[in-house]
Amino acid sequence: MFHFMRNLITLFSIFIFTHSYAQVTFDKTVEQQYQDAYNKLPAWLQQKAIEAYKDTSFHGGLVVLTEHKIDTLNKDEVANSYSYKNDEEKQYDLSFCGGQINSDTLTIGVGTQFFSQSIQHKIFKNLATTIFNEYRDNGTPFRTELTNDKTNDLTIPAETIRIVLSADKFTTDETIFGYAEITTKAFYEDADSFKNGYIKKRLHYKYFFKFKPTKNGI
């Protein structure tokens, strides 16, 4: 939970203007779509969600990750095929989220698997922008460009392919349901199984979520 809160607070406090805006769709049926996706989670993950809500210190929401795909953009540079797994794809996992209302802007922070990755949506006047963050405790494996310095704290823009919310008015009294599809900008990560010592990759996510937003803070 520490990494999730760290990344969520970081993403709430900084925002990169990517000049890539997506139109937000409003559809009340996304609540049932969320429930249908939640019902497909393994029983042990549903139990994790139940336990989270029993914890009085937990004030966030839930995310049902329906797809996580990694595109490897330099497959031709793989040096050792035995130590390299082909593009990964995961489905139906559980994560957590939170939301904040600040004036006429809704910010949604999503923490993905193991909380080392976070996604932030900012919604203003029915338009959405998205950024992605990945953090590592050890080492500096990431670069946005090969000419850039390496970092352990990567923040890059993401394309919002689709985002749907259950309501167009946001209050702290009502639960918001939603769905999002995003694709991150390509980035570089150190990888010994590649001839040049790095993998160039792009991430795709699809997920449903629900949360009750706070106002002017977490």
Side-chain angles (χ1 to χ4, degrees), residues 110-145:
V110 174
T112 58
Q113 191 176 29
F114 305 130
F115 313 129
S116 63
Q117 300 174 337
S118 298
I119 298 164
Q120 183 201 67
H121 302 289
K122 272 188 177 287
I123 297 169
F124 174 73
K125 292 186 177 179
N126 300 347
L127 294 175
T129 56
T130 303
I131 58 175
F132 170 85
N133 175 270
E134 185 162 0
Y135 175 81
R136 295 288 174 81
D137 284 329
N138 299 311
T140 53
F142 304 120
R143 283 174 284 180
T144 53
E145 301 292 343

Side-chain angles (χ1 to χ4, degrees), residues 154-189:
L154 176 79
T155 301
I156 55 175
E159 177 188 1
T160 311
I161 299 170
R162 187 178 179 214
I163 187 163
V164 183
L165 296 178
S166 56
D168 58 357
K169 304 295 183 184
F170 314 124
T171 71
T172 57
D173 298 324
E174 294 188 14
T175 299
I176 296 173
F177 292 84
Y179 172 76
E181 298 178 25
I182 72 160
T183 298
T184 71
K185 178 184 176 182
F187 62 97
Y188 301 87
E189 181 178 355

